[in-house]
């Protein structure tokens, strides 16, 4: 009897870990919705994971992440958002423009949504206000269109006061109309008319540069758009080949050989988005988390590209730069 009782007790002890595991809550899942492709945004995804880790979450250990990429095709976002809702994710992180967050908001009124976007979240209908977002949406914003006047000012100061300035914009981008207005107002502020070139595909970009050359364009500004970042190498190569000095919205362009960039730090914004996602997983409500505004902006000059363009950047501009790539 003693031996039988011992075996019974031993068997019960062995079952304890199994019962404990069975009682553990399921691992929370984050739905990650992005308007572009993984390659150009790998560093932003890494930064998002770092933000999560600051709140105690590590992918694969205590949180799962379902990734959905629109590959620059904005019409795919509603289907991708609905798919994530169908997976019953705990929170949706929507990156790169207002489009992903707008699609997610249309797909669910209950799942929390954290956006990381250069679009205006108020005029874009995502939140009621920055301080009191309300509903199930909050996030990180830097309102990239508001930077257009400064970008034009830096472009003019760095490129021999160009007379004819072109702008590359994507008509499919959700904030397209706002971009056009900012470009027109920014051009008026420096006494220049901005010639708009529209491009929604890789072939459109080639065509747009052909038109810029025919018009005798002196300089170019590329509007904020994840699709253009996806096509970074193509755009930088065309600008260099046609010897058109260009201003970009992100340092990724100047690192790839573009002449100038002025914009927010998207890596830090992605990290902040990860922090907010982690806070929501811990029980905080989106309506109680004010929209964070990225205040870190950087002006980058690629001197190697300037020399290739036979362009001498004024010392005043070099002094303003946060980084000079030599």
């Amino acid at each position: 009897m003693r031996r039988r009782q011992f075996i019974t007790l031993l068997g019960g002890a062995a079952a304890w870990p199994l019962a404990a595991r069975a009682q553990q809550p399921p691992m929370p899942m984050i739905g990650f919705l992005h308007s572009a492709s993984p390659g150009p945004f790998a560093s932003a995804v890494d930064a998002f994971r770092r933000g999560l880790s600051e709140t105690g979450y590590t992918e694969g250990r205590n949180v799962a992440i379902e990734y959905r990429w629109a590959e620059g095709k904005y019409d795919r976002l509603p289907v991708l958002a609905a798919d994530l809702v169908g997976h019953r994710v705990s929170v949706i992180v929507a990156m790169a423009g207002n489009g992903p967050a707008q699609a997610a908001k249309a797909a669910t009124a209950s799942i929390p949504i954290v956006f990381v976007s250069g679009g205006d979240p108020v005029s874009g209908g995502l939140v009621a206000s920055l301080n009191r977002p309300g509903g199930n949406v909050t996030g990180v914003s830097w309102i990239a269109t508001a930077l257009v006047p400064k970008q034009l000012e830096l472009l003019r100061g760095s490129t021999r006061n160009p007379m004819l300035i072109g702008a590359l914009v994507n008509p499919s981008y959700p904030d397209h109309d706002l971009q056009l207005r900012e470009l027109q107002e920014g051009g008026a502020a420096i006494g220049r008319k901005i010639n708009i070139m529209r491009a929604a595909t890789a072939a459109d970009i080639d065509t747009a540069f052909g038109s810029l050359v025919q018009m005798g364009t002196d300089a170019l500004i590329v509007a904020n758009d994840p699709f253009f970042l996806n096509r970074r190498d193509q755009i930088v190569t065309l600008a260099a080949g046609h010897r058109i000095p260009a201003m970009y919205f992100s340092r990724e362009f100047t690192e790839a050989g573009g002449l100038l960039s002025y914009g927010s730090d998207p890596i830090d914004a992605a990290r902040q988005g990860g922090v907010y996602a982690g806070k929501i997983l811990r029980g905080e409500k989106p309506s109680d988390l004010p929209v964070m505004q990225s205040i870190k902006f950087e002006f980058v000059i690629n001197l190697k590209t300037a020399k290739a363009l036979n362009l001498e950047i004024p010392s005043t501009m070099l002094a303003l730069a946060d980084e000079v790539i030599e």
Side-chain angles (χ1 to χ4, degrees):
M1 291 295 294
R2 290 178 183 172
R3 183 171 182 273
R4 187 175 302 158
Q5 289 172 348
F6 174 76
I7 292 172
T8 301
L9 288 170
L10 185 63
W16 291 340
L18 294 175
R21 283 198 295 270
Q23 294 172 4
Q24 288 178 351
M27 184 183 296
M29 181 183 295
I30 295 173
F32 186 94
L33 180 62
H34 201 290
S35 60
S37 304
F41 290 90
S43 56
V45 175
D46 288 341
F48 165 71
R49 295 191 186 108
R50 286 198 302 274
L52 272 178
S53 69
E54 291 178 26
T55 61
Y57 288 97
T58 301
E59 183 179 10
R61 182 172 64 84
N62 58 355
V63 68
I65 305 178
E66 278 285 325
Y67 296 93
R68 298 293 183 273
W69 301 87
E71 308 282 347
K73 299 174 182 176
Y74 298 122
D75 57 348
R76 294 181 58 195
L77 288 169
V79 174
L80 297 176
D83 183 43
L84 289 174
V85 171
H87 277 72
R88 298 184 179 180
V89 296
S90 304
V91 58
I92 296 175
V93 174
M95 280 196 184
N98 281 346
Q102 289 167 339
K105 186 177 181 181
T108 177
S110 57
I111 298 174
I113 299 167
V114 175
F115 60 81
V116 179
S117 170
D120 185 338
V122 177
S123 66
L126 296 178
V127 297
S129 71
L130 299 180
N131 290 331
R132 297 178 180 274
N136 63 320
V137 184
T138 188
V140 185
S141 173
W142 60 90
I143 311 183
T145 50
L147 304 181
V148 169
K150 184 66 174 180
Q151 289 169 338
L152 287 170
E153 178 188 331
L154 293 171
L155 177 62
R156 182 181 65 169
S158 301
T159 56
R160 307 190 191 105
N161 196 23
M163 298 300 295
L164 189 58
I165 300 176
L168 188 66
V169 300
N170 181 358
S172 299
Y173 186 62
D175 279 346
H176 169 256
D177 292 340
L178 181 58
Q179 287 179 337
L180 293 182
R181 186 167 70 247
E182 292 289 343
L183 284 165
Q184 291 166 355
E185 293 176 358
I190 62 172
R192 299 289 183 271
K193 178 183 177 181
I194 309 299
N195 292 303
I196 305 299
M197 296 290 115
R198 293 173 172 81
T201 66
D204 289 344
I205 294 172
D206 288 333
T207 302
F209 269 90
S211 298
L212 289 169
V213 172
Q214 288 180 353
M215 295 167 59
T217 302
D218 298 314
L220 171 70
I221 179 172
V222 177
N224 176 68
D225 184 0
F227 168 69
F228 289 152
L229 192 51
N230 253 12
R231 304 304 307 173
R232 173 192 61 192
D233 292 340
Q234 177 190 10
I235 294 171
V236 168
T237 299
L238 285 167
H242 293 300
R243 302 183 64 79
I244 300 176
M247 166 63 78
Y248 303 95
F249 56 88
S250 173
R251 67 175 298 123
E252 280 89 348
F253 287 92
T254 42
E255 290 174 350
L259 178 64
L260 308 167
S261 65
Y262 180 74
S264 69
D265 184 349
I267 303 305
D268 187 60
R271 182 195 63 79
Q272 291 175 331
V275 171
Y276 258 22
K279 286 184 176 183
I280 288 172
L281 290 178
R282 287 187 172 279
E284 295 193 45
K285 297 179 180 179
S287 57
D288 295 333
L289 296 171
V291 175
M292 286 190 286
Q293 292 181 275
S294 180
I295 57 174
K296 185 179 179 181
F297 302 103
E298 52 188 5
F299 177 36
V300 182
I301 300 173
N302 190 317
L303 269 189
K304 183 178 179 181
T305 300
K307 291 176 182 177
L309 294 171
N310 194 28
L311 183 66
E312 184 175 350
I313 304 293
S315 58
T316 52
M317 292 293 106
L318 294 173
L320 288 173
D322 297 284
E323 182 178 347
V324 176
I325 298 173
E326 301 186 69

